[in-house]
Amino acid sequence: MVQARYKQVVDRFAADIRAGRMPPGTRLPTHRRLAASEGLALMTASRVYAELGAMGLISGETGRGTFVRETALPRGHGLIDPQAYQHAAATDMVDLSFNYPSLPGQAELLRTSLREIASGGDLEALLRYQPHGGRPHERAAVARHLAASGLNAAGEQVLLVDGAQHGLAITVMALLQAGDVVAVDALSYPGFKLLADAHRLELVALPAAGQGPDPDALDALCKRRKVKAIYTMPTLHNPLGWVMSSSRRQDLVAVARRHGLLIIEDAAYAFLIEDAPAPLAAMAPEITVYVSGFSKSVATGLRVGYVVAPPASVAQLERAIRATTWNTPGLMTAIACGWLADGTVARLEAAKRQDARARQQVAARLLGKLKRVCHPASYFLWLPLGEEVRAEQVAMTLLRERISVSTAEPYATSAQVPHAIRLALGSVELPRLHSALGRVAEVIGEIDPYGE
């Protein structure tokens, strides 16, 4: 009979939530109060909430309570339907969830480059398979490009890949194994979370200490667990926008060397920061794999990325490239390296640094008194929400108005997911960005009119 009663409570709550009688954001009674009101044992009341949570109808939050979820918002992505996520640029959706920054005139650059490739050079070479890591002169071109940011590496250490995500994927495939423990920030890049899940890595969240992960916490973790690697974004962290200081980088390297860790350095947004401290790969080249690409700095459709690896790891990474894509398409690589050689990449990076700063200034004006966590030169910002504001409610309200934003869920690597919104600023024209950010501020204000 107890089993039947508890199931009846589950079914009643589920029906009320799905029918809208308990709207998203509704705070539910404590486990103890539910037990008392329904005549259940405390353990049985906890089981009611566990089943409702497994159904995706409620979420429990440490220190805040249990709340009804926004059921119209798909689980796992924390924002919008994956198809809408991919096609937002081709619809009436204002996409503030994903960055694909582009500047006027880039299409003409591509047209010119294609004409130049067509009129000269060995076109037949582009029709054949390329070496797995890229042709030697192209690897050398990327190495020269990286030297400007303080990373001096031989061309033989550079591997060309199909974008930075592919670079992360081959690093995981080649250098880690299922069950390995990888230290990450408590808020981190969702693409690495996906890789970790696919390859059965265990991610352990590190707390932040100022502008970066806490080296002491990493040291303590390594003493408790057999940690294999640390994944980090020292220059323009996504989503929090920090730039790790030189001393913090040195401390992190010291811990990694002491415990024999592999460092995976994600530098996808590093081009936006001028005069940044030296990359971790420059400080500890023997244990660091450096991953970046041209998707953000040039164009997302130009799927050319690169990995800089210790010489001892190059052969393993080349095998992973062979197992996945065999090689980067010759035409794409030729375009990217041509733009490196003639200064186009440098000019685009400079223009996008200016563009990102202008967009942050727009955000600062329009978001007003809302708390913002960001870097003034980044293409994204983080909005922590007040105690009474539900991130899912904000995201769903905006989505109904054709504005897509991210909640913290895709970025969280710990059990406790903060209520926050991540806004990508680089994917829409400035006039549409202006109106969309204004509406974001209004929606948050309408939900929490007394919030700071």
Side-chain angles (χ1 to χ4, degrees):
M1 293 296 294
V2 173
Q3 177 81 0
R5 287 178 54 204
Y6 125 77
K7 281 292 187 183
Q8 289 172 4
V9 175
V10 171
D11 291 344
R12 189 174 74 248
F13 270 73
D16 286 345
I17 292 170
R18 288 169 175 151
R21 291 187 290 272
M22 297 177 69
T26 299
R27 188 191 299 268
L28 300 179
T30 64
H31 293 218
R32 194 171 298 279
R33 287 184 179 178
L34 177 67
S37 65
E38 298 291 342
L40 302 173
L42 180 59
M43 183 177 297
T44 307
S46 297
R47 190 172 179 184
V48 170
Y49 281 171
E51 289 210 8
L52 290 168
M55 295 161 66
L57 298 177
I58 66 172
S59 62
E61 299 162 24
T62 304
R64 299 185 70 173
T66 305
F67 299 86
V68 175
R69 287 180 60 100
E70 174 56 80
T71 56
L73 200 65
R75 298 184 71 196
H77 224 286
L79 53 158
I80 59 179
D81 180 87
Q83 291 301 314
Y85 183 80
Q86 291 296 327
H87 298 293
T91 70
D92 61 344
M93 185 80 70
V94 179
D95 191 359
L96 303 184
S97 61
F98 189 72
N99 272 316
Y100 35 94
S102 181
L103 299 174
Q106 286 194 230
E108 187 57 37
L109 285 173
L110 177 59
R111 187 174 289 109
T112 300
S113 182
L114 289 172
R115 281 197 297 263
E116 291 174 352
I117 290 173
S119 63
D122 183 5
L123 284 180
E124 288 190 6
L126 302 182
L127 298 176
R128 297 191 291 269
Y129 285 126
Q130 310 295 306
H132 302 308
R135 295 185 292 182
H137 71 280
E138 292 167 337
R139 296 164 76 168
V142 173
R144 288 192 295 272
H145 171 68
L146 291 171
S149 61
L151 178 53
N152 294 301
E156 293 80 7
Q157 293 176 255
V158 176
L159 301 163
L160 300 182
V161 291
D162 291 332
Q165 182 67 21
H166 182 225
L168 292 174
I170 66 160
T171 301
V172 168
M173 288 178 62
L175 305 180
L176 299 176
Q177 297 180 351
D180 281 346
V181 176
V182 180
V184 295
D185 297 311
L187 292 166
S188 193
Y189 169 53
F192 192 78
K193 286 179 58 181
L194 289 172
L195 285 172
D197 182 63
H199 293 276
R200 300 181 182 179
L201 305 178
E202 180 184 350
L203 299 185
V204 179
L206 292 174
Q211 300 297 297
D214 186 344
D216 292 335
L218 176 61
D219 188 54
L221 172 64
C222 291
K223 291 176 180 176
R224 298 194 311 271
R225 302 288 307 277
K226 183 175 176 57
V227 181
K228 179 70 173 182
I230 176 172
Y231 167 78
T232 186
M233 295 166 278
T235 304
L236 203 53
H237 176 273
N238 180 17
L240 298 180
W242 70 49
V243 176
M244 202 184 298
S245 69
S246 180
S247 60
R248 173 63 58 84
R249 295 175 195 229
Q250 291 168 357
D251 291 343
L252 202 64
V253 164
V255 174
R257 281 182 168 142
R258 184 157 59 245
H259 295 283
L261 304 185
L262 171 71
I263 299 174
I264 303 173
E265 180 174 9
D266 186 336
Y269 283 101
F271 75 95
L272 289 170
I273 305 302
E274 293 185 283
D275 301 320
L280 297 173
M283 296 180 172
E286 78 285 3
I287 58 171
T288 305
V289 175
Y290 181 95
V291 181
S292 191
F294 300 110
S295 292
K296 307 302 183 186
S297 61
V298 180
T300 52
L302 189 71
R303 299 304 299 158
V304 179
Y306 46 86
V307 174
V308 182
S313 301
V314 169
Q316 294 167 275
L317 291 164
E318 286 184 333
R319 282 195 293 273
I321 295 171
R322 178 179 178 180
T324 51
T325 63
W326 192 273
N327 61 261
T328 304
L331 180 59
M332 294 294 98
T333 308
I335 293 171
C337 291
W339 284 350
L340 284 173
D342 68 12
T344 296
V345 171
R347 289 190 294 272
L348 287 173
E349 289 181 345
K352 290 188 177 184
R353 284 192 287 269
Q354 184 176 356
D355 181 56
R357 286 186 175 275
R359 289 167 184 266
Q360 285 287 351
Q361 291 168 7
V362 169
R365 291 197 304 271
L366 293 169
L367 298 176
K369 66 178 182 179
L370 295 177
K371 182 180 179 181
R372 294 175 297 114
V373 178
C374 61
H375 190 284
S378 73
Y379 269 123
F380 47 83
L381 59 86
W382 190 255
L383 291 179
L385 300 176
E387 286 295 316
E388 300 306 317
V389 182
R390 321 301 304 153
E392 294 171 339
Q393 185 180 2
V394 172
M396 199 64 226
T397 300
L398 290 167
L399 187 58
R400 292 190 185 105
E401 300 183 22
R402 310 302 292 163
I403 300 171
S404 67
V405 301
S406 301
T407 69
E409 184 177 354
Y411 297 86
T413 61
S414 60
Q416 187 169 356
V417 180
H419 274 282
I421 295 294
R422 190 257 197 188
L423 300 179
L425 307 178
S427 301
V428 297
E429 303 88 347
L430 278 172
R432 294 183 80 195
L433 178 66
H434 190 282
S435 60
L437 291 176
R439 187 59 189 137
V440 169
E442 290 171 357
V443 166
I444 295 175
E446 289 164 2
I447 295 173
D448 184 18
Y450 304 108
E452 293 298 321

